Amino acid sequence: MPILSNVLGFSLFGLASRLGQLSIEHRKLTSNPAATALCTAVFGYAGYWAWRWDERAAVILAEKRAQIEEHKAKRAATAGAQ
């Protein structure tokens, strides 16, 4: 469910930015629905990309933490042997 909430959140932000743009230009909110849908889809894809980036970063951090723990264990073993 985190992916769905992330994509929907970014999509709603895209929709809000498009509606804000139209209100600044004093145009009807339904003047170009294709552009509104495109803006929502692009922001939704950005939300998906951000979720994927976050997942990949979590994997990389877990691998690095495991490597650090391994190095600490090796140093403790060599220090204990001396």
Side-chain angles (χ1 to χ4, degrees):
M1 280 311 204
I3 185 171
L4 182 64
S5 64
N6 208 10
V7 170
L8 284 177
F10 273 77
S11 294
L12 287 176
F13 182 78
L15 179 64
S17 67
R18 176 67 180 162
L19 294 178
Q21 175 190 13
L22 290 174
S23 68
I24 288 171
E25 294 176 354
H26 298 290
R27 291 174 36 196
K28 292 181 186 176
L29 297 179
T30 58
S31 64
N32 191 357
T36 303
L38 179 67
C39 187
T40 303
V42 167
F43 273 84
Y45 179 72
Y48 173 73
W49 181 78
W51 177 79
R52 294 278 302 183
W53 183 14
D54 188 42
E55 290 294 313
R56 180 65 185 140
V59 169
I60 290 171
L61 285 174
E63 291 172 357
K64 289 295 181 182
R65 285 185 182 125
Q67 287 176 356
I68 290 170
E69 290 298 323
E70 183 180 322
H71 289 297
K72 283 182 182 179
K74 284 182 183 178
R75 275 190 249 145
T78 57
Q82 293 175 1

